[in-house]
Every structure is written in C-alpha cells, then in structure tokens.
Amino acid sequence: MLKRFLSSTIICVLSWTTSMANNPVQTASHIRTVQLHKKGWSMSQPIINLYPSEQLTLSFDDFAYESKNYQYRIIHCTSDWEESNLMQTEYIDGFMPNSVDDYQYSFNTTFDYIHYQLDFPNEDIKLKLSGNYIIKIFELGREDEPVLIRPFYVTESMVSILPRIKFTSNSNFRGSMQEVNFTILHPNFRINNPREELKVVLQQNGRWDNQIDNLKPLFIRNEELDYTYNRENLFDGGNEYRWLDIRSTRFAPEHVSEISFFDPHYHFTLFPDKLMGRKPYFYREDFNGRYYVDVKENRDPVIEADYVYVHFRLPVQAPFVDGHIYVTGGLNDWQLNSNNRMEYNFNTHMYELTLLLKQGFYNYQYHFLEQGHTKAEVERFEGSFVQTENDYIIYVYYRSVGDNYERLIGVNISNSIKHSLSK
C-alpha cells in the first residue's frame, strides 16, 4: 500500500531560489513532520542567541525503505529571505555541506519511514553573525534539489523591546482586533538614523501571510524608539485554535466521529466542524497553532507513532467562488497551498480535506484566502475576538550605511494575555 501511495503521489522536489517572497518554507512530498526548535524545547520558536551560543534541533521523517546520504547547508539571508551578499566564511566557522548522520527506522507502523535528526550549530559548524538563516537538506550530489528548507533566526540581543498589546483605540475594530505597540530601548547600542537603519517585523503565532514589516518609529527620543500606532499595527484577534487528538488508534476522543482501519492504514473521520464566527468568544487553552508528536499505545513516539489519514469536514451551504478554504496551523507550517486546500462536496454540502498526519496532538484553524490576495481571512469561519490569546514575535533588524548584511539585534516573544491585554 505504501508503494502504491508513493507512486501515485507527485513527488515534487522544490528548489530554493534567491527570492523567498517572505516565506522560505519548502518541503518535498515524501518528507513529513518537519520540526525545528530550540534543543530540548519542542514547542519553541526557531530562535537562538549568537552569544551565548545555543543549539537548534531539526527533525523530519522520510517515507522510504532505505536511508539516504542527506547533507545540509546553512545560508545567511536578508530580512526578506533573499540570500545575503556574504561569503560562507564570513558567517560560518567550519565547512559545508555536512552529513545528517542521526537516523532511526520506524518500528511496528503501517507506514514505513525513517526519522532523521540534526542538532546545530555543532562541532562541524559555528555561526559567526546574527540575522536570518535557512537550513536546506538535500541528497549527496543533488544540492540544487533540496528536499526541505526551513528558516531560523540568530539574535545578538543588543536592544530591549517592551511590548504593549492592547484593545485597539480604533473604534471600528475594537471588538475584533489587537493592537501591538512597543518601545525599543538601545542605551548601549548606537543608532544614528533609526528610520533608515532599522527594520521591524511583527508576526502573529507562526503565520507568514499576515506579518507586518513596514513600521517606522513614530517618536524618536534619547535612546528610545516608540512604535505606537492605531491602525498600521493591527492584527485580527482570531479565535482559539481547534484541537485534534490522534494519539490513540483504539479510542476515539472528542471531535472524532469514527476510527476506521482499511488495511493497512488508519482513518480518523472528524465530526463536521462548527462555524465559530457566529458564536460568542469562549476561552480554550491551546498551543497557538502548534503541535507535538505523541502516541498512547507505545513508548517511543519518535519512531513508533504511526501516520494516519485525517478527514476534515466543514459544512457550508454552497461553495465560494471568490476564494479557497485551507486547513492551516503548525501541522503544515501555516502554508496556503494545494496540499491543505479543501474541496467542496456537492453531495454532502461540506468542504472536505484529507491529511496524512503523524500521531500526536494538533491545533488547526480554517482560513479563507480570497482570489488575488496573499493574506488569509480568519473571521469568516473562526470569528475574530479581541480577547483571543495569541503569541506575537517582534524582530528588530539593523543595517548601517557601511554594513554589508542585516544584523538581528533583538527579538521579543510576547503573549497577548500575559502582557496585560486591556482597554
């Protein structure tokens, strides 16, 4: 069955080019469950300090029967994810490419896969500069055909970032949007022309499509830069993420209507999801879109967690002609493409999608992308509430006239509830 599945799947190996269009995530179809995080902290963002040096862990599954000679290369990028005009020796201490040698075969699973893991920086390479980076994985001799690309960040922590996440003062969006103001303090870091030398990027949870990257300081004081807007820094509050528990193939948890076994694979059919936009806000603790791999019937989820088919269903009376619906979250790196786009079933009057997921606990949402747009709409199916708990990441980049690359001089991760969301 696995052979038939792989042969019927168009295995599109995606090449990395010099322009990422602010979204460098790419994955070949035979690569699954790619995770990149701080070593020992699986739910963290892929952000590390340059000094003191920290490590990241990259892991992924390859649907294959035999191991491959995978190599990796790390590339320094601009804040827009274009390759920097730097020599490798300027930002790496060591030689590349290097091998990915840590791998294990899956055990007692219906899908055969090989789990790879890499910790870096390591004894082979050290990072010398801050900024945006990508790591790409490829087979030996096929560097121009990477099987996966993932971004990560290295910060110098030269400035302090003080966030203020609040109800917006704009009355038109007061019930549905969150205002992200902040101040940058730089008493020990000289910035001569902050409007030209600095670039700030704001992200909500892990989303790429709605990030804000064009803010300039409104007020410049002595060693203090103030970013207090009332429109340009607004994010849809959205809603708490829906959850999916597929850790057990024996017992159906809440939201799962049926677990079926069609030899040799498992299928999880979910109850039709409800439209949350028409309901009042209700706090539900979530992971802000992230997920973790786990299995109840076995001991080692890394290689004993199986892959199962999950059938999503969203009731809609008639199909939309002005755009598409996507199931999104950390389960697909918040991508909006054909792999997670739902199709309308005229017989059931529902949008439907089947995803192949590794056993674990997942967050997800339904987003609508209008034709001709790049930013997805969350309110149509999830609702948008100012009370919603979200994580916000603020990246501060610096480049003076004489610099030949952008330094990442500060990063702040803030939670809308923990940072006193208030009127």
Side-chain angles (χ1 to χ4, degrees), residues 252-289:
E254 189 178 357
H255 308 311
V256 176
S257 66
E258 182 182 10
I259 300 176
S260 305
F261 182 74
F262 298 110
D263 193 16
H265 302 304
Y266 289 95
H267 292 252
F268 283 67
T269 301
L270 308 187
F271 284 107
D273 273 312
K274 298 178 181 179
L275 304 181
M276 304 304 296
R278 302 172 185 174
K279 297 180 178 294
Y281 173 77
F282 179 76
Y283 174 74
R284 305 184 305 275
E285 186 173 0
D286 63 5
F287 301 135
N288 289 329

Side-chain angles (χ1 to χ4, degrees), residues 134-162:
I134 62 104
I135 180 170
K136 63 176 181 176
I137 306 295
F138 50 90
E139 289 190 60
L140 179 64
R142 303 177 66 178
E143 186 168 350
D144 59 341
E145 298 178 345
V147 299
L148 74 86
I149 295 173
R150 285 299 183 277
F152 66 95
Y153 305 83
V154 179
T155 178
E156 293 184 61
S157 301
M158 300 298 294
V159 300
S160 298
I161 306 168
L162 307 180

Side-chain angles (χ1 to χ4, degrees), residues 18-35:
T18 57
S19 178
M20 290 295 185
N22 294 321
N23 188 341
V25 176
Q26 296 185 15
T27 316
S29 59
H30 60 94
I31 301 297
R32 300 279 175 162
T33 318
V34 181
Q35 295 182 299

Side-chain angles (χ1 to χ4, degrees), residues 157-175:
S157 301
M158 300 298 294
V159 300
S160 298
I161 306 168
L162 307 180
R164 301 183 303 279
I165 305 170
K166 59 189 289 291
F167 286 55
T168 178
S169 55
N170 191 317
S171 60
N172 294 328
F173 310 108
R174 192 165 179 78

Side-chain angles (χ1 to χ4, degrees), residues 114-390:
I114 302 173
H115 180 81
Y116 292 83
Q117 181 170 308
L118 171 69
D119 294 335
F120 69 95
N122 48 48
E123 59 184 12
D124 294 322
I125 60 156
K126 307 293 182 185
L127 302 179
K128 299 162 65 174
L129 302 178
S130 66
N132 286 7
Y133 285 84
I134 62 104
I135 180 170
K136 63 176 181 176
I137 306 295
F138 50 90
E139 289 190 60
L140 179 64
R142 303 177 66 178
E143 186 168 350
D144 59 341
E145 298 178 345
V147 299
L148 74 86
I149 295 173
R150 285 299 183 277
F152 66 95
Y153 305 83
V154 179
T155 178
E156 293 184 61
S157 301
M158 300 298 294
V159 300
S160 298
I161 306 168
L162 307 180
R164 301 183 303 279
I165 305 170
K166 59 189 289 291
F167 286 55
T168 178
S169 55
N170 191 317
S171 60
N172 294 328
F173 310 108
R174 192 165 179 78
S176 62
M177 304 194 80
Q178 295 175 346
E179 184 176 301
V180 183
N181 297 313
F182 57 96
T183 300
I184 298 175
L185 304 178
H186 58 102
N188 301 313
F189 189 83
R190 185 174 180 177
I191 303 175
N192 295 318
N193 188 353
R195 287 194 171 93
E196 296 297 326
E197 296 175 341
L198 289 187
K199 177 178 179 179
V200 174
V201 174
L202 278 65
Q203 282 187 342
Q204 183 189 57
N205 301 322
R207 291 178 61 181
W208 293 92
D209 61 299
N210 68 338
Q211 76 174 27
I212 297 173
D213 58 9
N214 57 356
L215 295 181
K216 302 293 183 180
L218 279 182
F219 302 101
I220 301 175
R221 306 181 183 93
N222 185 31
E223 301 175 342
E224 180 179 328
L225 308 173
D226 189 271
Y227 293 75
T228 302
Y229 288 82
N230 61 9
R231 181 180 291 271
E232 293 84 352
N233 58 342
L234 296 181
F235 288 86
D236 290 315
N239 207 339
E240 309 302 341
Y241 278 78
R242 305 169 192 261
W243 61 268
L244 169 65
D245 185 353
I246 54 173
R247 292 175 293 174
S248 173
T249 56
R250 298 180 182 176
F251 305 101
E254 189 178 357
H255 308 311
V256 176
S257 66
E258 182 182 10
I259 300 176
S260 305
F261 182 74
F262 298 110
D263 193 16
H265 302 304
Y266 289 95
H267 292 252
F268 283 67
T269 301
L270 308 187
F271 284 107
D273 273 312
K274 298 178 181 179
L275 304 181
M276 304 304 296
R278 302 172 185 174
K279 297 180 178 294
Y281 173 77
F282 179 76
Y283 174 74
R284 305 184 305 275
E285 186 173 0
D286 63 5
F287 301 135
N288 289 329
R290 295 187 288 273
Y291 71 94
Y292 65 89
V293 173
D294 195 15
V295 60
K296 289 187 174 181
E297 283 85 19
N298 295 301
R299 296 183 179 181
D300 188 355
V302 170
I303 58 172
E304 293 185 276
D306 208 344
Y307 278 84
V308 301
Y309 289 102
V310 180
H311 303 277
F312 296 84
R313 297 182 291 173
L314 184 67
V316 176
Q317 193 60 36
F320 295 97
V321 297
D322 58 339
H324 298 285
I325 304 173
Y326 297 84
V327 176
T328 185
L331 76 170
N332 62 349
D333 295 290
W334 284 269
Q335 301 299 289
L336 303 171
N337 55 41
S338 59
N339 295 326
N340 62 314
R341 185 174 63 211
M342 307 190 80
E343 299 294 337
Y344 191 75
N345 187 328
F346 286 90
N347 294 323
T348 62
H349 296 285
M350 290 190 286
Y351 274 92
E352 299 176 351
L353 174 68
T354 298
L355 292 178
L356 185 63
L357 300 176
K358 195 172 186 178
Q359 285 184 274
F361 195 98
Y362 290 80
N363 279 183
Y364 69 96
Q365 284 186 340
Y366 295 102
H367 290 185
F368 183 81
L369 183 63
E370 189 176 350
Q371 291 180 1
H373 291 242
T374 57
K375 177 184 174 182
E377 174 192 338
V378 64
E379 184 173 6
R380 187 173 304 204
F381 305 112
E382 304 294 349
S384 188
F385 305 94
V386 70
Q387 305 97 319
T388 302
E389 181 257 335
N390 289 299

